Amino acid sequence: MPELLRMKGRVLSSLPQPSSDAAEVHLVQALELSRRRGATAWELRIAIDLAELFAGRRRRKAAKLLLQSALGGFVEGSDTADIRAATELLGML
């Protein structure tokens, strides 16, 4: 379910006339669900999408905090595509 909500949020944000508010609602729901289930990998993937949305809406501080929180659930030295993407995005913020 977190992935379904994430994908719906991504679709809503990528429409020719994006619905950023609706996208944010779906991404936040996905994030909360992944956290409740202890699904750290999903949480990180969702946090990346939500942080990108926040950054595009000039909410860089919220984006940074979100990514830092999501990355905190991983052991230092872990290296996955999502961790690299989150770290890169964090560096750009």
Side-chain angles (χ1 to χ4, degrees):
M1 188 56 118
E3 177 65 357
L4 180 63
L5 290 167
R6 182 183 80 87
M7 292 307 299
K8 189 168 184 179
R10 286 182 56 110
V11 167
L12 289 168
S13 68
S14 66
L15 292 172
Q17 293 182 336
S19 179
S20 297
D21 290 338
E24 183 175 338
V25 166
H26 284 84
L27 291 170
V28 168
Q29 288 175 346
L31 186 67
E32 290 171 353
L33 184 57
S34 67
R35 285 178 174 166
R36 281 197 306 267
R37 293 186 176 176
T40 55
W42 286 122
E43 179 183 347
L44 180 59
R45 186 166 286 176
I46 296 159
I48 292 167
D49 291 338
L50 190 53
E52 288 172 345
L53 183 69
F54 284 170
R57 298 175 92 185
R58 295 192 167 109
R59 294 170 57 192
R60 295 169 69 94
K61 185 174 182 177
K64 281 183 177 182
L65 292 173
L66 178 62
L67 288 172
Q68 289 168 339
S69 174
L71 283 167
F74 291 89
V75 176
E76 189 173 327
S78 297
D79 186 39
T80 67
D82 288 336
I83 290 173
R84 287 190 301 273
T87 303
E88 183 179 326
L89 179 56
L90 191 56
M92 292 186 327
L93 293 171

